[in-house]
Amino acid sequence: ESVAQDQDIESLTLFTAQGEVLRARGSLSPELFARKTGVTAPEVVRLGERIAVVSPVVSLEGPRGTLVLQLSLQRVVADGREVQRNAALAGLLALILGAAGASWIARSLSRRLRAVADVAEAVAAGDLDQRPVDVGQSRDEIGSMAAAFNAMLSQIRELVTQIRRSAHEEQARLEGQ
């Protein structure tokens, strides 16, 4: 009765030592009838999407018969396909999320580098009145580069201011002479 409850068991046949069917449930595949006698050790036979276990029934008095249990692998194969499908979907989702994250990081880096480049181009063209590059809370290499650029811009402004002051003092001295 418990075998009848298991949907994966297609057939169960118990043969006598002479090869006669003693008890059967379900229909046994014809290829397995040849193995009903002379079995000395359990063996597993693969039959497409089925598997069969052929095992001798032995008692203290000697061989008593053969038990043939035929199992369906359809549910196992279907579960395997579902696992593969779920793994493929999880992989695709991970790939999409990874690409989105990489794109977001690339845009952020690009924006920050563009801000430094814009200020650097304006300073190179002689416009020293540029606002410093916004470093924010950035502690990475681009943030360090922006902080160093801001320090350099501050030093250039101080040097230009000092040169103008010196030039103004020199002009006043020359006018006085």
Side-chain angles (χ1 to χ4, degrees):
E1 289 178 19
S2 63
V3 169
Q5 300 297 319
D6 192 340
Q7 297 173 353
D8 291 333
I9 297 178
E10 286 187 353
S11 70
L12 176 71
T13 308
L14 181 59
F15 294 98
T16 64
Q18 292 75 32
E20 299 168 1
V21 175
L22 183 64
R23 188 91 161 122
R25 182 197 166 271
S27 59
L28 188 64
S29 296
E31 352 20 280
L32 296 173
F33 269 103
R35 299 175 186 262
K36 63 186 174 182
T37 59
V39 178
T40 58
E43 53 184 276
V44 177
V45 180
R46 179 78 189 245
L47 305 166
E49 286 195 1
R50 294 180 313 226
I51 192 168
V53 177
V54 182
S55 179
V57 177
V58 180
S59 68
L60 293 176
E61 295 84 26
R64 302 294 272 179
T66 305
L67 177 65
V68 180
L69 178 64
Q70 186 172 296
L71 302 167
S72 171
L73 297 177
Q74 288 177 345
R75 194 169 4 175
V76 172
V77 170
D79 288 347
R81 287 185 187 129
E82 185 176 349
V83 166
Q84 287 177 341
R85 184 180 59 86
N86 289 342
L89 288 174
L92 181 62
L93 180 63
L95 184 64
I96 290 170
L97 290 175
S103 174
W104 179 77
I105 290 170
R107 279 197 313 271
S108 171
L109 293 174
S110 175
R111 255 193 330 270
R112 293 169 55 209
L113 286 172
R114 176 57 25 213
V116 172
D118 289 345
V119 173
E121 287 174 2
V123 169
D127 183 7
L128 296 177
D129 294 329
Q130 290 292 312
R131 297 182 65 190
V133 178
D134 182 25
V135 178
Q137 300 295 326
S138 175
R139 300 198 190 288
D140 61 0
E141 289 81 6
I142 295 175
S144 297
M145 179 183 68
F149 181 80
N150 289 340
M152 179 182 72
L153 181 58
S154 175
Q155 288 291 330
I156 290 172
R157 286 180 182 156
E158 286 179 27
L159 287 173
V160 168
T161 302
Q162 184 180 2
I163 290 171
R164 284 182 182 156
R165 192 177 322 118
S166 293
H168 185 25
E169 290 171 0
E170 188 63 24
Q171 183 179 5
R173 185 183 68 78
L174 288 175
E175 285 176 7
Q177 287 181 346

